[in-house]
Amino acid sequence: MLYPQQNAHRSICDLSGFWSFQLDPQEIGETEGWFRALPAPRSIAVPASWNEQFEDTRDYLGVAWYLRRIVVPPAWRGQRIMLRFGSATYAAKVWIGGKPVGSHLGGHLPFEFDISALVSWDGPTTIAVQVENKLSPTRVPPSATNPELTANTFPDVTYDFFPYCGLDRPVLLYSRPPLHIADATVVTAIDGADGAIDVTITASDKWNGRGALRLETGGDSLTADLAFKNGTAQASLRLRKARLWRPDDPFLYPLTIALKDGDSVRDAYTLDIGIRTIEVRGDQLLLNGQPIHLKGFGRHEDFPVHGRGLDLPVLIRDHALLKWVGANSYRTSHYPYSDEAMILADREGFLIIDEIPAVGLLFDDGDKAVETRLAICKQQIADLIARDKNHPSVIMWSVANEPSSRGALRGNADAGLEFFMELLAHARAQDRTRPALLVGEQRTERSWVAQSDVITVNRYWGWYVLPGQIDKAVAQLARELDELHAATGKPVIIAEFGADAVAGTHSEPPQMWTEEYQAAMLKAYLDMAAARPWIVGLHVWNFADFKTGQGTHRALGINHKGVFTRDRQPKMAARFLRSQWRKE
Ligand code: GCB
């Protein structure tokens, strides 16, 4: 899926701004025609979650309506007019000019509709979107039917972050020519000092004409002709002495694809590509053939008032702080992040583990529900890969976070094993160039975790297990990891470890919840990993404090495991990490 682009053949109209908004707790809007006009609207900002914009919406997860009247530029007449939502959490239905155009299920991923036939050329066109985020066991992430499996918070979810809702990402209206480039897939390889670039392009209308590729190299550009057959063309470029993409030099080459009719260009699209490889060899992770160690965090898209809404200054600030602390990597825990985050990661040189929203998966409510979730996860994997396949920053696919074999699957690890083997195979079938993994917790079956290309585990020894006893906890963890490594022979990533620290609290000797304890715990993990070269990644949980449900173990409804506060000020742990990670 190509991100909208402004060029000589395509235009974008960004619909960020104030929309009309109304809650619909009785769910009468659809029968009463709210898609034409809202009876009692108020203004809301898009993109942003609705939860923190008003007092009465914080915990509201039901149906709500967004409306906007727009004038489509007359110059777009004759073009295909597309309406693209960066995300809508969780379920969305869309009407244009009072007519239904389509729906989408699942947050955190983009979807779009061709609305060319529905826009008005004589006046404004009304866009109406109905969104709801009801918790349900047959959604992903699911909510629990079994009280044993909930996080015991309000809202009652199976996971540890706030279920923010709404139009969290930009809504873009864009035009593209009737004959257009529909998709492109770029795969890069390295051959000695050269870069090999394979490009597969899909054009609309089963196009049988010609096209061209051009790679800007800074000197003479590299070109190739394209011959489309039934809408598909392939070409390869070989770049001598390629400048490889890597964290300390995230170099991007502009690659322009053009569809041509004789000498006239019918459509063009430019992708910024990075030439790099990623591979697991033995118990090492190799970037461009060299061992790489991931230093970074699990994060959240989370900030006061915006909720999970895209906030470009915060995105820039976060990447600046990631550099300040010496990180080179993060995981999009626990859902795909915005397109804009991935674009920035390419430009800034971060190595991303890209995760679908399969957090807190349940296996306790019968085969039918498990099958439904399997189908949703497979769709989410396909959609995520379709969106992010061309980002050099994305180095691995994560198909789940912390599935556990509690509930009915206790004693039936095989059903879960099949579930994850199928998800991992699905990811590998969609993309043969990146490793795939699932992130296990303490109770996740060993047989499931072992299916990952890189063994990836979350461990809270010294916090939830052996609280207050860091030395003993880390010694026990070291034994467990040594054994896991010996049994699988694969590289290991600790994708989460950390301690809550309420900023400004101190103790000597270190005590849980203080800044000293958090820093001491991170130090013990880093020291343990330093002696084990097969631990190829350390992701601290979390980059910043983040909002979660209200509950007895989450003071102020905040998870305080951030090394930065929610407003991005460093705790002692951030300074400690900087002292370690910047010297390497
Ligand atoms: C975990 C989860 C993460 C939580 C974290 C915690 O294992 O993956 O979502 O926030 O623990 O702080 O408990």
Side-chain angles (χ1 to χ4, degrees), residues 160 334 401-402 458 460 464 496 541 546 554 559 561:
D160 179 24
H334 292 306
N401 179 70
E402 297 199 343
N458 297 342
Y460 287 93
Y464 296 121
E496 286 183 27
W541 190 257
F546 61 90
R554 293 288 180 255
N559 183 312
K561 293 193 188 68

Side-chain angles (χ1 to χ4, degrees), residues 296-302 314-315 317-319 322 329-335 337 341-342 352 495 539-544 546 568:
F297 301 93
R299 297 178 56 216
H300 267 296
E301 290 186 320
D302 173 273
V314 173
L315 198 61
R317 182 73 189 133
D318 283 359
H319 284 73
L322 286 164
S329 173
Y330 68 83
R331 175 168 59 120
T332 70
S333 42
H334 292 306
Y335 37 78
Y337 288 5
M342 298 299 99
I352 307 298
H539 279 178
V540 173
W541 190 257
N542 188 285
F543 170 71
F546 61 90
R568 288 9 183 202

Side-chain angles (χ1 to χ4, degrees), residues 470 474 510 515-525 573 576:
I470 294 173
V474 173
E515 292 197 28
E516 282 82 358
Y517 190 91
Q518 183 186 38
M521 191 167 145
L522 300 191
K523 179 173 185 320
Y525 276 68
F576 162 70

Side-chain angles (χ1 to χ4, degrees), residues 24-51:
D24 182 11
Q26 268 87 46
E27 303 190 12
I28 51 174
E30 206 166 327
T31 31
E32 297 200 351
W34 289 15
F35 38 80
R36 281 188 211 96
L38 293 175
R42 53 181 153 173
S43 300
I44 194 167
V46 173
S49 303
W50 70 53
N51 309 78

Side-chain angles (χ1 to χ4, degrees), residues 283-421:
D283 61 8
Q284 293 297 299
L285 179 67
L286 307 181
L287 178 76
N288 301 333
Q290 303 295 320
I292 180 96
H293 282 75
L294 310 182
K295 301 176 285 180
F297 301 93
R299 297 178 56 216
H300 267 296
E301 290 186 320
D302 173 273
F303 203 69
V305 184
H306 293 251
R308 193 141 292 128
L310 176 69
D311 181 325
L312 293 178
V314 173
L315 198 61
I316 293 286
R317 182 73 189 133
D318 283 359
H319 284 73
L321 288 174
L322 286 164
K323 284 197 175 168
W324 178 88
V325 79
N328 64 10
S329 173
Y330 68 83
R331 175 168 59 120
T332 70
S333 42
H334 292 306
Y335 37 78
Y337 288 5
S338 63
D339 294 89
E340 294 76 7
M342 298 299 99
I343 292 167
L344 193 60
D346 288 350
R347 293 164 66 140
E348 298 299 321
F350 287 95
L351 303 165
I352 307 298
I353 300 179
D354 211 357
E355 184 161 281
I356 62 161
V359 49
L361 284 180
L362 304 173
F363 293 93
D364 70 327
D365 50 354
D367 292 351
K368 191 142 182 27
V370 174
E371 256 172 50
T372 306
R373 286 190 294 269
L374 178 68
I376 297 173
C377 289
K378 286 175 81 171
Q379 184 67 50
Q380 286 172 339
I381 289 170
D383 290 352
L384 177 65
I385 295 179
R387 189 193 74 161
D388 286 352
K389 61 189 171 183
N390 295 324
H391 287 294
S393 55
V394 173
I395 55 163
M396 288 188 245
W397 307 114
S398 165
V399 304
N401 179 70
E402 297 199 343
S404 88
S405 47
R406 291 176 289 178
L409 262 194
R410 213 184 325 228
N412 181 13
D414 292 352
L417 181 61
E418 265 172 42
F419 187 99
F420 292 109
M421 284 175 73

Side-chain angles (χ1 to χ4, degrees), residues 381 385 397 422-434 436:
I381 289 170
I385 295 179
W397 307 114
E422 191 163 341
L423 288 191
L424 290 166
H426 189 60
R428 293 178 188 123
Q430 315 278 313
D431 177 12
R432 277 174 287 112
T433 71
R434 291 174 178 90

Side-chain angles (χ1 to χ4, degrees), residues 81 97 141 150 157 200 292 406 453 533 555:
I81 295 162
T150 68
V157 291
T200 308
I292 180 96
R406 291 176 289 178
D453 295 320

